[in-house]
Amino acid sequence: MTNYLKCLILLLFVGNLTIAGEKKVRCVIHGELIGMEAKEVLLVDATVDSRYHGTYVPVEDGRFKYVLELPHVEGYKLIFVTKNPRVWYTVPFIVENGKLHITVNVDKSYEIRGGIFNDRYRKYQELQQQEIGWKRFSFMHRFCAGQWDELYYFLVVDELQRRQVYQAELDDELENAYHVLAEKFASSKYTCLGKMLIDGFHSVKPGGHYVEFEAPDLEGRVVNVSEVINGKIAIIDLWASWCMPCRAKAKMMIPIYEKYKDKGFEIVGVAREFKNTERMKQAIVKDKFPWLQLVELDDGQKLWTRYMLGNAGGGVFLVDRDGTILAVNPKPEEVQKVLVQKLGE
């Protein structure tokens, strides 16, 4: 059983124990767009890729209304794009109990009325901008000192994701804050997400161990990747049909694969796709990938998070026989050199 499945089972178990005694968060959102036109707005969890997730809410006469019901307080984003001129607007907010009134102005300024967490979140954003350099990204600890609440939890996980995207280091203060909050809010989805991120910081790098997982192939059969690559030199190729650089890198590995596939070398591809696998199937045929291909559909396994890729198109991981990561995003000549050393000509 993979760590991801263990995390989900634990989350569901603890959730069943705690949510029954908790009041569900019901947030009634009233929105108004001033001086601009948009047909719809997107309400999306702040921790996921807004290109592929979220709920679209229609806008009528510059106004919209929506009710979000969640088991916990969570960070969200309001996103929309105007056409004439084409301008992108993003408004971060906290989903909490009660009514929120969100007003967005044409100059991108906005006002959020209602909710104690949103009031504190706004103050945090204002004060954080006054910090200089790296202190800006540790300011949350000072701001939330003595308040181990759900806003602090969101800020910690948000910072973990930011450091993942920018490949910044994990520090003890941030990790310790996560562990304290994870114990307090065990049934929160941030507990599982934070664990994936922290595990990734510690493991997904040269010298660490690859992240074990299960994923379906194009026939729907669930494959445990460890059963495919254990005891072999292997490449775990995380790619997407829409990521042309990922596909180009993989195509350069085909001659190496054909030369060493019968000598103890394996490649497993995993494509991050959304809604369906049609484009993936077309890409495999066009690029003539000869190795096993698995599917990460709609971020169901959170593999990109677990492999420290954020919202990137993909990544390549060269793995030794014992599961140790030898290299991240190696060039073909680097892979060839390793294979010559370990498998011979």
Side-chain angles (χ1 to χ4, degrees):
M1 184 181 294
T2 66
N3 288 333
Y4 176 61
L5 289 176
K6 291 178 182 177
C7 187
L8 283 180
I9 291 171
L10 177 62
L11 189 60
L12 289 171
F13 175 73
V14 176
N16 287 334
L17 293 178
T18 59
I19 292 177
E22 295 175 350
K23 185 177 180 180
K24 200 172 187 178
V25 172
R26 187 175 189 274
C27 184
V28 182
I29 301 169
H30 296 269
E32 184 175 8
L33 312 182
I34 305 296
M36 71 197 93
E37 293 184 5
K39 293 183 178 180
E40 60 188 9
V41 297
L42 176 69
L43 296 176
V44 60
D45 176 352
T47 66
V48 303
D49 192 335
S50 62
R51 296 173 296 176
Y52 307 107
H53 299 281
T55 301
Y56 284 96
V57 180
V59 176
E60 296 183 6
D61 298 323
R63 298 175 183 272
F64 64 90
K65 178 182 176 181
Y66 195 76
V67 178
L68 278 169
E69 291 187 328
L70 304 173
H72 294 275
V73 171
E74 294 181 11
Y76 256 65
K77 291 180 181 178
L78 165 68
I79 299 173
F80 63 93
V81 181
T82 58
K83 288 188 176 180
N84 295 309
R86 185 174 176 81
V87 180
W88 183 285
Y89 292 80
T90 300
V91 178
F93 67 99
I94 305 298
V95 177
E96 59 180 307
N97 263 321
K99 294 182 180 180
L100 291 184
H101 296 267
I102 302 177
T103 303
V104 187
N105 301 304
V106 68
D107 64 357
K108 293 193 174 184
S109 63
Y110 59 87
E111 180 183 12
I112 301 175
R113 302 188 307 279
I116 57 174
F117 284 116
N118 277 283
D119 184 52
R120 286 184 56 223
Y121 188 34
R122 184 181 67 254
K123 291 178 181 177
Y124 167 77
Q125 291 171 309
E126 292 172 353
L127 293 173
Q128 185 196 37
Q129 293 303 311
Q130 299 174 19
E131 297 293 316
I132 299 175
W134 63 268
K135 291 183 179 180
R136 177 176 297 178
F137 304 113
S138 61
F139 174 67
M140 75 185 82
H141 305 301
R142 284 181 283 137
F143 181 83
C144 296
Q147 300 185 72
W148 297 90
D149 57 20
E150 290 167 300
L151 174 61
Y152 193 7
Y153 208 2
F154 164 64
L155 295 176
V156 165
V157 172
D158 186 56
E159 177 60 14
L160 285 170
Q161 287 192 305
R162 188 197 69 81
R163 296 193 190 192
Q164 178 194 64
V165 170
Y166 292 101
Q167 298 183 345
E169 293 184 0
L170 174 66
D171 61 70
D172 290 342
E173 186 175 28
L174 185 60
E175 183 171 359
N176 291 337
Y178 161 76
H179 287 301
V180 172
L181 290 159
E183 184 174 354
K184 183 173 182 179
F185 300 105
S187 63
S188 169
K189 74 173 189 178
Y190 292 152
T191 301
C192 200
L193 176 57
K195 184 178 187 307
M196 291 182 205
L197 291 163
I198 288 175
D199 286 349
F201 276 109
H202 289 305
S203 181
V204 183
K205 57 187 177 182
H209 194 280
Y210 78 93
V211 179
E212 297 184 20
F213 62 89
E214 295 178 344
D217 63 15
L218 286 169
E219 301 300 322
R221 293 183 293 264
V222 176
V223 177
N224 187 319
V225 72
S226 65
E227 294 177 359
V228 179
I229 70 171
N230 278 1
K232 298 180 180 181
I233 309 299
I235 281 179
I236 298 174
D237 177 34
L238 303 184
W239 65 289
S241 62
W242 41 268
C243 177
M244 301 313 292
C246 302
R247 291 169 59 178
K249 289 178 183 178
K251 287 173 69 174
M252 290 190 290
M253 296 294 179
I254 294 177
I256 299 174
Y257 175 77
E258 295 294 353
K259 181 177 180 179
Y260 287 96
K261 66 181 181 180
D262 297 323
K263 299 180 180 181
F265 176 57
E266 186 61 82
I267 297 180
V268 178
V270 186
R272 184 190 188 206
E273 301 296 310
F274 294 90
K275 296 184 179 179
N276 59 66
T277 58
E278 291 308 308
R279 291 180 63 185
M280 174 188 175
K281 293 176 182 176
Q282 294 170 10
I284 292 171
V285 172
K286 183 176 181 180
D287 297 342
K288 300 179 180 179
F289 295 143
W291 47 75
L292 173 66
Q293 294 288 352
L294 307 178
V295 186
E296 165 73 323
L297 191 62
D298 297 328
D299 290 330
Q301 297 291 325
K302 301 288 186 185
L303 289 182
W304 264 241
T305 296
R306 295 159 69 192
Y307 270 89
M308 302 300 286
L309 294 173
N311 292 329
V316 179
F317 302 86
L318 180 62
V319 178
D320 207 345
R321 295 183 181 94
D322 63 356
T324 301
I325 296 174
L326 297 172
V328 177
N329 293 321
K331 296 178 180 178
E333 54 268 29
E334 294 175 299
V335 175
Q336 175 81 29
K337 182 178 179 180
V338 169
L339 293 176
V340 168
Q341 291 174 344
K342 292 182 175 287
L343 301 178
E345 291 287 352

